[in-house]
Amino acid sequence: MFAAIGGHILSFVYYTSFLCVHQTGCTPDQEIQKIFDNAPQEKYRTMFTLMFATGMRIGEAIRLQIKDIQPERSLIQIWNGKGQKDRVTLLSPSLLKELEEHLEKNKPIKWVFAGDKPGTHITARSVQRAFKNSLVKASITKQFTVHTLRHKFATSVVEMGNDIYRLQQLMGHSYVRTTSRYIHISNLHALTVESPLEKLVKDKNKGNDNT
């Protein structure tokens, strides 16, 4: 499904990355890490990580079931996404580790992110509220929303050299013009899709090694 197609790569990301550094003194990846680190609870950190690592919409993420995590295929199955479409998305090693730790700690029965009432899943409103709290604790004043995590997934995947048509599949867009709203394109060779979470973890580990 993820066979390489003719490649495109993001061009405006380098401008937005420069703008971020100029305005806040940190890179976009550092901002994402700060959001993770300041999540009010473990379950919200895992939720934010999931959305950043997979490009899932909030409605898809809160309805994720344990059975839809497929480590043997390194994929997550998404059912009835926007437009009632099914698709698969990435399950990176770092995300799998975090999900396994979350499941071991919370021991949900059906939903990966169980709600307060038995048999329910977490609500979108609670995730949005937790995300706002994370921004405040992280001293991030930009007008980010939880959807920013999905947007960052999209720009990161293409920035790493992946084709816009492959991104279209991962995002669940019906039309490539929807996907192209995220990016300005220049032609380069496509690389293998890797979750942006892996890059974030590698950068964090490098920083720890230097301390």
Side-chain angles (χ1 to χ4, degrees):
M1 179 174 180
F2 297 120
I5 316 172
H8 300 83
I9 192 169
L10 187 68
S11 60
F12 84 99
V13 157
Y14 302 106
Y15 168 74
T16 55
S17 296
F18 166 79
L19 191 61
C20 172
V21 174
H22 180 71
Q23 291 180 340
T24 68
C26 66
T27 68
D29 282 350
Q30 288 172 332
E31 287 185 326
I32 294 295
Q33 187 63 59
K34 287 175 68 176
I35 292 170
F36 291 169
D37 292 343
N38 286 279
Q41 297 179 40
E42 171 274 332
K43 65 180 178 181
Y44 293 117
R45 176 193 167 92
T46 305
M47 170 65 77
F48 300 160
T49 303
L50 173 70
M51 295 182 66
F52 170 71
T54 65
M56 294 175 71
R57 300 176 177 91
I58 186 171
E60 297 165 345
I62 64 175
R63 296 195 306 271
L64 181 64
Q65 297 187 37
I66 299 170
K67 66 180 179 63
D68 297 328
I69 300 172
Q70 302 178 16
E72 68 282 358
R73 300 174 61 204
S74 298
L75 297 174
I76 293 176
Q77 178 71 55
I78 301 172
W79 302 102
N80 297 316
K82 188 174 181 180
Q84 303 302 306
K85 292 187 300 183
D86 303 333
R87 73 182 192 279
V88 295
T89 189
L90 309 175
L91 175 59
S92 72
S94 297
L95 175 60
L96 176 60
K97 182 176 183 292
E98 188 148 347
L99 286 171
E100 287 176 337
E101 291 174 352
H102 168 78
L103 295 175
E104 177 63 26
K105 177 180 179 179
N106 295 279
K107 293 180 169 55
I109 298 173
K110 177 181 179 181
W111 308 104
V112 173
F113 301 97
D116 294 331
K117 296 181 180 179
T120 65
H121 56 66
I122 197 171
T123 65
R125 180 171 293 183
S126 68
V127 176
Q128 292 163 341
R129 184 166 55 245
F131 188 80
K132 289 182 180 179
N133 290 340
S134 299
L135 293 178
V136 172
K137 289 181 65 178
S139 301
I140 295 175
T141 58
K142 293 181 180 180
Q143 298 301 307
F144 286 165
T145 68
V146 71
H147 188 76
T148 302
L149 299 172
R150 174 172 158 87
H151 173 82
K152 178 57 180 169
F153 167 83
T155 55
S156 295
V157 165
V158 184
E159 182 182 16
M160 288 187 290
N162 294 290
D163 181 271
I164 190 173
Y165 298 103
R166 302 177 76 190
L167 177 61
Q168 179 188 2
Q169 293 175 322
L170 292 171
M171 298 290 282
H173 292 155
S174 297
Y175 305 102
V176 72
R177 66 173 177 269
T178 305
T179 313
S180 66
R181 292 174 186 172
Y182 287 96
I183 54 179
H184 294 295
I185 305 166
S186 60
N187 291 324
L188 280 180
H189 183 65
L191 305 177
T192 303
V193 171
E194 180 184 39
S195 170
L197 178 62
E198 293 306 303
K199 180 177 181 295
L200 191 68
V201 170
K202 290 174 185 176
D203 290 346
K204 184 179 180 181
N205 290 339
K206 285 181 182 177
N208 292 337
D209 292 340
N210 293 330
T211 57

